[in-house]
Amino acid sequence: MASMVGSTARDATPTARPGTDPASFVAEPVEVGHIVVPLDGSPFAERALPVAASVAAGLGADIHLVEVVPWREGEEGCEAAIRYLDSVSRRQRATGWDVVQHDDVGQALSEAVAGFPDRMACIATHGRDRSAAVLGSVAASLLDRSDRPAVLVGPGGRAVTAADAPVVVAVDGTGGDDALVPVALGWAVRLGRRLEIVTVAEPAPAGHRDDAAPRRAWGPAEPETYVESLVGRAEGGGVTVAPRVVYDPVGVRDGLVPVLDRTAALFVLGSGRGQGVPQVLGSHAARLVHDAAVPALAVPLPPSA
């Protein structure tokens, strides 16, 4: 029960010719009017605020703050949260804030977002200190329960405002890519930025025959062909779309993080509901969010993806 107490399959390369219907991607509309930033009184949680402000400016949205207070903290905890959010709201020019009493922070936050059709969360996550670890679990819980994209700000994440910084979508050759690329395309269109479709693949093992696709531990078997096919399907969406293939012998994280280092405005990856962390890049995803210098947009994927 909650109480509101204060308020103001690999190598799924398309068989259709790239760029032709019905295989062409259609940009998914981005209908976000309010960026919800969960806070807990810690400096770590406040690290999401500059990113939220940047995203809100790009979307023409406003910022709404939320703090969840456990029932055991009672009226005193709520009053302290009200004073805190009021102060942060004035500093950040947020349009409103809510203090919610609830013992399940993830559930309370998912309800705070899901209760309004144009809300999206922006949350700091994947830190190393004590408060960050708690908030990290909250972010995972929020993703696990939500059917909406959320912006995740890792410890190294910063708002990137350079005009030429693209939206980068990370693909891996699985069925989730078909659900992910239209969302990334929609964000690129809404933000007026170019879109880069990137995949990281293991280099071809030594001794493989040129007449056969190599068996790679990660990435599509034919990375260039696969990414070019996605680019072809995304062309005509209203923004420039470019492919990028990175070959890395160590893994996805080591190949992708340098690509994102201060050169992207936002990177987009899939989130499998029921698993708590973005899953389209498998076990590498949590490290990507943690290590990237730019914020991530985690997009819930359908169960079959």
Side-chain angles (χ1 to χ4, degrees), residues 103-200:
D103 286 329
D104 187 329
V105 180
Q107 179 65 31
L109 293 178
S110 65
E111 291 174 357
V113 175
F116 300 83
D118 60 349
R119 284 188 173 187
M120 182 184 72
C122 177
I123 184 169
T125 186
H126 293 300
R128 296 298 190 191
D129 61 28
R130 182 179 178 185
S131 66
V134 172
L135 198 57
S137 67
V138 170
S141 178
L142 176 62
L143 286 174
D144 196 42
R145 302 168 195 239
S146 178
D147 60 358
R148 299 184 187 179
V151 176
L152 307 181
V153 184
R158 299 288 189 276
V160 178
T161 58
D164 61 345
V167 172
V168 174
V169 58
V171 299
D172 65 355
T174 62
D177 295 344
D178 272 15
L180 199 59
V181 175
V183 176
L185 183 59
W187 275 79
V189 170
R190 181 68 183 271
L191 296 175
R193 296 182 178 275
R194 59 191 172 92
L195 176 65
E196 283 191 3
I197 303 179
V198 180
T199 196
V200 179

Side-chain angles (χ1 to χ4, degrees), residues 242-257:
R244 189 162 186 175
V245 176
V246 179
Y247 292 96
D248 193 278
V250 178
V252 174
R253 180 266 172 212
D254 293 82
L256 188 55
V257 168

Side-chain angles (χ1 to χ4, degrees), residues 12-231:
T13 305
T15 56
R17 184 169 58 85
T20 62
D21 292 329
S24 294
F25 290 122
V26 176
E28 187 168 312
V30 179
E31 299 176 347
V32 177
H34 307 276
I35 308 295
V36 177
V37 183
L39 298 176
D40 62 2
S42 71
F44 177 85
E46 290 187 16
R47 295 185 64 260
L49 289 168
V51 172
S54 176
V55 173
L59 299 178
D62 60 36
I63 296 176
H64 193 94
L65 311 177
V66 175
E67 182 168 357
V68 180
V69 177
W71 283 103
R72 65 179 181 276
E73 295 188 10
E75 184 177 344
E76 182 177 348
C78 291
E79 290 178 351
I82 288 171
R83 290 193 298 271
Y84 168 67
L85 290 186
D86 185 64
S87 174
V88 176
S89 179
R90 293 174 188 276
R91 285 191 281 116
Q92 297 294 324
R93 298 183 179 179
T95 58
W97 49 262
D98 293 321
V99 174
V100 182
Q101 281 189 293
H102 204 297
D103 286 329
D104 187 329
V105 180
Q107 179 65 31
L109 293 178
S110 65
E111 291 174 357
V113 175
F116 300 83
D118 60 349
R119 284 188 173 187
M120 182 184 72
C122 177
I123 184 169
T125 186
H126 293 300
R128 296 298 190 191
D129 61 28
R130 182 179 178 185
S131 66
V134 172
L135 198 57
S137 67
V138 170
S141 178
L142 176 62
L143 286 174
D144 196 42
R145 302 168 195 239
S146 178
D147 60 358
R148 299 184 187 179
V151 176
L152 307 181
V153 184
R158 299 288 189 276
V160 178
T161 58
D164 61 345
V167 172
V168 174
V169 58
V171 299
D172 65 355
T174 62
D177 295 344
D178 272 15
L180 199 59
V181 175
V183 176
L185 183 59
W187 275 79
V189 170
R190 181 68 183 271
L191 296 175
R193 296 182 178 275
R194 59 191 172 92
L195 176 65
E196 283 191 3
I197 303 179
V198 180
T199 196
V200 179
E202 181 189 32
H208 85 279
R209 303 198 323 266
D210 291 339
D211 60 345
R215 296 180 64 86
R216 305 181 194 272
W218 53 86
E222 299 288 355
E224 287 88 355
T225 300
Y226 180 69
V227 176
E228 287 284 359
S229 73
L230 297 180
V231 169

